[in-house]
Structures are given as structure tokens and as C-alpha cells.
Amino acid sequence: MAIATIAHWDYPSQWPNLVENLLQCLESNTPHSGNSNLIKGSLCCLDMFANGDSLSDEHLPQLLKLLLPAMFK
């Protein structure tokens, strides 16, 4: 929750790599071999961030560029 709240104010100007960082947490961990708390926290943060009012239309191209390939994996 804290990361999603900070992201509301700092993304993308002060935290341009936020989504990449969250995706890296998901890519480097799997439910069977990684840290399940890190996976759950990353997914929750992405969910809160995407469902809040932090994102505008100007952020969507960057997000889609990062999220779509990860989703297709």
C-alpha cells in the first residue's frame, strides 16, 4: 500500500522504473521457487496502482510496453 501511495505522487517523474521494478520482482520469483510474499506484494501494488487515480492516458504506452510482454510469457 505504501508503494502504491508513493507512486501516486512520484510516478513517472521521480520513479520512472516503478513498473519495471515490480515486473522484475514477478519475473525473478515463482510461487514454487521464489519469495511468495514478494510476488503477492508486487501483484497487489500493481493492482492498487492500476486501479487508483495514479495513472493517466499519458502513462499507458509505457505500461503496456512493459506489461504486455510479461503477460504473454
Side-chain angles (χ1 to χ4, degrees):
M1 245 174 121
I3 292 173
T5 301
I6 294 168
H8 171 76
W9 300 106
D10 289 351
Y11 179 82
S13 63
Q14 300 297 316
W15 202 350
N17 297 328
L18 169 66
V19 176
E20 290 173 333
N21 293 342
L22 291 170
L23 291 176
Q24 285 174 352
C25 291
L26 296 176
E27 290 174 353
S28 63
N29 290 282
T30 63
H32 300 291
S33 65
N35 182 339
S36 61
N37 289 328
L38 183 61
I39 294 168
K40 183 179 177 183
S42 298
L43 287 172
C44 288
C45 184
L46 283 168
D47 181 51
M48 287 186 282
F49 185 57
N51 288 317
D53 60 352
S54 300
L55 297 176
S56 68
D57 291 343
E58 69 187 56
H59 301 129
L60 289 178
Q62 179 188 5
L63 283 171
L64 291 176
K65 183 178 113 179
L66 297 169
L67 288 174
L68 286 177
M71 291 171 56
F72 283 119
K73 277 186 177 180

